[in-house]
Amino acid sequence: MQLVDGRPGNTEGRPDKEIRVYDFLDSLGIAYKRVDHEAAMTMEACEEIDRTLSEGVEKGVAICKNLFLCNRQATDFYLLLIPGDKPFKTKYLSAQIGSSRLSFAKPEYMEQYLDITPGSVSVMGLMNDKEKKVRLLIDEDVLLDEYFACHPCINTSSLRFKTSDLMEKVIPAMEHEPTMVCL
């Protein structure tokens, strides 16, 4: 597993949704590193990917859980970015966003609004949410690290770029105003 600069040189066989992420980041002038890997199905595999993404970084990389949630009626959808080691308790989040009965949204909604599948959930999926159906929620602790890591809408690659680029360039370009939460 090797950390490399930018997009793959050969994009043959890679899905369009992944290539769109690289095109998007490149259009914004975002410097990013990438690691290609097998789909991570175990915590051990995730830990190896996390170690690779953290190479050469002194101030840390925010490795997040990306949770795709909805209200009971499945009319309001949320993408929550929370540190990977932080427990998630719906009652604390519900109180902060004024939505009760939160649960994990069905995969069909994930594909419909973000063009991603379970295991590939990423903030980058918001670039596909043209109708602005998904509300972005970010736990404030995500912003503590110098770098941020996410999937490029597939779970066989992972990206690392500056957290400041996420907040100042990526999210504004996706036109999804984040709601900061404290969990």
Side-chain angles (χ1 to χ4, degrees), residues 48-164:
E48 183 181 354
I49 294 164
D50 294 352
R51 277 193 302 275
T52 302
L53 287 170
S54 297
E55 286 176 10
V57 174
E58 291 180 29
K59 295 185 181 179
V61 177
I63 309 291
C64 296
K65 286 187 273 199
N66 298 271
L67 306 178
F68 188 58
L69 308 166
C70 67
N71 63 354
R72 186 166 130 181
Q73 299 82 7
T75 55
D76 297 324
F77 297 89
Y78 307 91
L79 177 61
L80 172 64
L81 309 183
I82 182 172
D85 58 355
K86 197 171 203 181
F88 170 61
K89 297 196 165 101
T90 58
K91 70 176 182 177
Y92 297 128
L93 180 60
S94 293
Q96 291 179 60
I97 64 170
S99 180
S100 60
R101 304 263 185 157
L102 289 176
S103 63
F104 292 100
K106 293 179 180 176
E108 306 84 82
Y109 294 120
M110 196 180 297
E111 286 192 65
Q112 179 181 349
Y113 297 128
L114 303 178
D115 192 19
I116 50 181
T117 55
S120 303
V121 180
S122 166
V123 68
M124 299 311 297
L126 291 174
M127 63 185 262
N128 300 314
D129 181 25
K130 302 298 184 202
E131 297 175 26
K132 310 292 185 264
K133 295 285 190 180
V134 180
R135 184 172 164 194
L136 175 61
L137 310 174
I138 303 176
D139 183 273
E140 60 188 19
D141 288 345
V142 167
L143 305 181
L144 297 177
D145 290 308
E146 182 179 9
Y147 287 91
F148 176 81
C150 64
H151 290 306
C153 295
I154 56 150
N155 66 357
T156 53
S157 290
S158 297
L159 306 175
R160 175 184 91 193
F161 50 88
K162 288 191 172 274
T163 304
S164 59

